[in-house]
């Protein structure tokens, strides 16, 4: 009779160990997926930073063209009094 409880405990420990192995695999999988997401978020941030820099360059060019247009209007006396 004393052998049965030991076997029962051993069976439960084996089940727990198998479950922990599955959980370990799940955590490893989740960690890999989160790492992938972090890489993707960093790439999106870089893309947004590049887009912002592009917008800043465009804004600068528009400002330059605006200044040139004002000079042309002044030279041609097209400005409103």
């Amino acid at each position: 009779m004393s052998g049965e409880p030991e076997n029962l405990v051993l069976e439960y420990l084996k089940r727990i160990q198998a479950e922990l192995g599955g959980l370990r695999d799940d955590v490893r999988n989740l960690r890999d997926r989160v790492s992938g997401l972090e890489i993707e978020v960093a790439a999106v941030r870089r893309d947004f930073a590049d887009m912002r820099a592009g917008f800043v360059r465009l804004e600068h060019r528009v400002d330059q063209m605006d200044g040139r247009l004002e000079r042309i209007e002044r030279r041609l006396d097209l400005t409103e009094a």
Side-chain angles (χ1 to χ4, degrees):
M1 281 266 238
S2 67
E4 288 179 25
E6 287 178 19
N7 289 338
L8 187 61
V9 170
L10 187 59
E11 280 299 314
Y12 279 119
L13 287 175
K14 286 180 183 179
R15 287 181 190 174
I16 290 170
Q17 188 176 20
E19 287 292 323
L20 285 177
L23 288 174
R24 195 173 293 128
D25 291 340
D26 291 345
V27 168
R28 188 176 300 121
N29 182 25
L30 287 172
R31 188 173 45 219
D32 291 343
R33 291 175 67 184
V34 167
S35 287
L37 288 173
E38 288 173 338
I39 290 168
E40 290 296 321
V41 167
V44 168
R45 285 182 177 172
R46 274 192 309 273
D47 290 345
F48 276 125
D50 292 343
M51 287 173 40
R52 182 179 170 110
F55 286 136
V56 167
R57 284 191 300 272
L58 286 174
E59 186 177 4
H60 179 68
R61 289 184 71 185
V62 168
D63 288 343
Q64 286 178 333
M65 284 192 276
D66 192 40
R68 289 176 181 169
L69 183 60
E70 287 176 8
R71 276 197 313 271
I72 292 169
E73 288 175 342
R74 273 196 313 268
R75 284 185 178 183
L76 297 176
D77 290 326
L78 297 176
T79 56
E80 296 178 14

